């Protein structure tokens, strides 16, 4: 994670005094950074760039450098200021000019603790945005018919996040599955609780191997699949394959849900870890408790797991995963990035109700009032469960 600090300084101010004040100010923040002084030639090459307005009288210098900065970066402009040498006044003039040009910016000013906290959040945002830029995601088959509120705006997604989405015909996957040897062995065989599931694991592994060819052939960093078509086409599920891909760092989502896949990729970019796609099964708006469920979960998110059948169909292989209780974030971005939901809570326990999808998580929100969103204005049914608390960074990105 790299942070560069560029400086703006008026020639009217004593250079020695300004340098001493700079060393004192930046040293008190306690952050890692590269000091670039006033040379902006590599602006845009870091996770985060800060423009330290060291003195007043620097507005014209900034205006002259702005065209080059715009060519090299799409980041908002973050103006680092102190209470000395008219630093704040100059920053306010610069920010006003940016707003007049329709550009985004923010003045970082206040206590050292506040500024450091804000920089830490922006560092995470910058790192995530650089990871998302140029990412390729695939949609295998069309979104499931019941996802009537889960469309996506591809142009907006590419313009804002740099993510490209590519459609892949379901027939291509089915053709590849047919080419995988029918006697392929599974590394999960020892976990099979019955002969039926043991036999189904072979089919599950064929789906995984075929999807691996899709991922490699299209150079994908993630995908979502119209997985229910597999139930009729090959009498199996993609649950095992998706659990494995996510654990390997390839985002893999269910039901062709593009906003859910997009949310999973954003979550991965923020945390560097997998995320769990699920839908609420039960909600208690009085306590802020929600029960989420789905038939697969990334294998790197769980302490233990069991194999079972797929819930709705009773065939193939589903996964009942047990994640360690603790802090979580529930997240969902809309397909046009115009809305998002991010709320923090605690995973209370994992359950095993027989009338729900196999992996079940009971989560209690920190703000119980935030549960009303699911009953009044939800962004589709699928939501993403992330380990840890990440609301501030997600809010900043979106």
């Amino acid at each position: 994670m790299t942070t560069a600090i560029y400086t703006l300084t008026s020639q009217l101010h004593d250079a020695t005094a300004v340098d001493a004040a700079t060393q004192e100010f930046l040293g008190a923040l306690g952050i890692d950074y590269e000091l670039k002084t006033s040379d902006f030639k590599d602006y845009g090459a870091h996770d985060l760039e800060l423009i330290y307005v060291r003195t007043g009288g620097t507005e014209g210098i900034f205006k002259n450098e702005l065209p080059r900065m715009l060519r090299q970066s799409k980041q908002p402009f973050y103006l680092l200021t102190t209470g000395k040498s008219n630093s704040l006044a100059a920053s306010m003039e610069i920010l006003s000019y940016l707003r007049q040009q329709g550009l985004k910016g923010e003045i970082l000013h206040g206590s050292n603790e506040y500024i450091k906290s804000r920089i830490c959040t922006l560092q995470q945002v910058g790192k995530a945005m650089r990871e998302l830029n140029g990412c390729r995601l695939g949609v295998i088959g069309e979104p499931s018919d019941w996802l009537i509120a889960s469309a996506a705006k591809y142009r907006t997604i590419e313009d804002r996040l740099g993510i490209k989405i590519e459609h892949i015909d379901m027939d291509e996957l089915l053709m590849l599955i047919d080419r995988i040897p029918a006697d392929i062995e599974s590394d999960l065989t020892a976990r099979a609780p019955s002969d039926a599931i043991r036999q189904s694991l072979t089919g599950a592994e064929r789906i995984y191997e075929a999807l691996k060819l899709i991922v490699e052939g299209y150079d994908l960093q993630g995908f979502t699949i119209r997985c229910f078509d597999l139930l009729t086409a090959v009498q199996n599920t993609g649950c095992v394959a998706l659990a494995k891909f996510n654990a390997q760092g390839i985002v893999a989502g269910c039901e062709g849900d593009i906003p859910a896949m997009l949310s999973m990729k954003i979550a991965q970019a923020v945390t560097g870890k997998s995320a769990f796609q699920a839908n609420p099964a039960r909600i208690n708006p009085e306590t802020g408790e929600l029960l989420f469920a789905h038939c697969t979960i990334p294998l790197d998110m769980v302490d233990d797991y069991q194999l079972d059948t797929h819930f709705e169909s009773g065939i193939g292989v589903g996964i009942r995963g047990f994640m360690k209780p603790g802090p979580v974030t529930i997240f969902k971005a809309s397909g046009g990035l115009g809305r998002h939901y991010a709320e923090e809570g605690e995973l209370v326990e994992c359950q095993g109700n027989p009338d729900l999808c196999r992996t079940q998580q009971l989560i209690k929100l920190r703000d119980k009032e935030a549960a009303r969103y699911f009953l009044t204005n939800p962004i589709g049914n699928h939501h993403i469960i992330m380990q840890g608390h990440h609301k501030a960074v997600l809010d900043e990105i979106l």
Side-chain angles (χ1 to χ4, degrees), residues 32-296:
D32 294 328
Y33 63 90
E34 299 176 27
L35 188 61
K36 298 291 185 177
T37 63
S38 57
D39 186 354
F40 287 81
K41 65 181 180 181
D42 62 350
Y43 186 87
H46 311 85
D47 293 328
L48 175 64
E49 274 103 6
L50 304 175
I51 301 172
Y52 179 17
V53 183
R54 302 202 296 180
T55 70
T58 51
E59 297 88 339
I61 301 173
F62 177 87
K63 184 178 179 180
N64 290 336
E65 291 287 350
L66 181 59
R68 175 162 61 171
M69 288 188 280
L70 288 173
R71 288 194 301 269
Q72 297 173 184
S73 174
K74 294 182 179 180
Q75 288 187 9
F77 294 91
Y78 297 107
L79 307 173
L80 186 60
T81 72
T82 70
K84 299 179 180 180
S85 303
N86 285 322
S87 170
L88 179 59
S91 297
M92 292 174 64
E93 188 72 17
I94 291 171
L95 182 58
S96 297
Y97 178 76
L98 288 171
R99 295 294 190 189
Q100 289 173 359
Q101 309 306 310
L103 300 171
K104 296 180 180 180
E106 178 185 343
I107 296 171
L108 305 183
H109 181 80
S111 68
N112 291 337
E113 292 76 16
Y114 169 78
I115 295 174
K116 179 178 180 179
S117 174
R118 191 76 184 110
I119 289 175
C120 287
T121 296
L122 294 175
Q123 285 174 330
Q124 289 181 275
V125 171
K127 183 176 183 296
M129 292 297 288
R130 287 176 67 82
E131 182 173 332
L132 293 171
N133 188 42
C135 175
R136 291 171 57 85
L137 302 178
V139 182
I140 304 174
E142 296 297 320
S144 294
D145 296 341
W146 48 85
L147 297 179
I148 61 174
S150 299
K153 296 181 180 178
Y154 293 4
R155 181 62 181 271
T156 301
I157 292 169
E158 184 170 357
D159 287 346
R160 287 188 55 184
L161 301 179
I163 294 176
K164 295 183 179 180
I165 298 177
E166 183 160 356
H167 275 268
I168 301 157
D169 198 284
M170 193 70 178
D171 287 341
E172 182 174 348
L173 174 62
L174 296 178
M175 179 183 66
L176 290 172
I177 292 173
D178 193 53
R179 293 178 181 177
I180 304 299
D183 58 350
I184 187 171
E185 294 186 5
S186 173
D187 57 346
L188 304 182
T189 299
R191 287 181 171 268
S194 67
D195 288 340
I197 290 179
R198 187 175 297 107
Q199 293 170 7
S200 293
L201 277 171
T202 297
E205 292 295 342
R206 294 179 73 198
I207 294 170
Y208 168 70
E209 293 295 332
L211 284 168
K212 188 187 296 186
L213 295 174
I214 293 281
V215 168
E216 294 170 352
Y218 286 88
D219 189 25
L220 301 178
Q221 286 76 56
F223 66 89
T224 182
I225 178 174
R226 186 181 169 100
C227 48
F228 274 73
D229 281 11
L230 296 172
L231 296 173
T232 53
V234 296
Q235 292 294 299
N236 215 311
T237 69
C239 299
V240 169
L242 303 190
K244 287 186 172 185
F245 276 112
N246 279 303
Q248 295 162 7
I250 303 295
V251 165
C254 311
E255 302 175 38
D257 190 329
I258 300 172
M261 170 185 66
L262 178 65
S263 301
M264 292 175 76
K265 185 58 188 178
I266 294 171
Q268 182 197 61
V270 167
T271 65
K273 300 178 181 178
S274 298
F276 171 42
Q277 175 185 339
N279 51 266
R282 295 166 190 161
I283 298 173
N284 187 334
E286 296 177 312
T287 64
E289 290 181 321
L290 306 99
L291 182 62
F292 286 87
H294 234 219
C295 275
T296 189

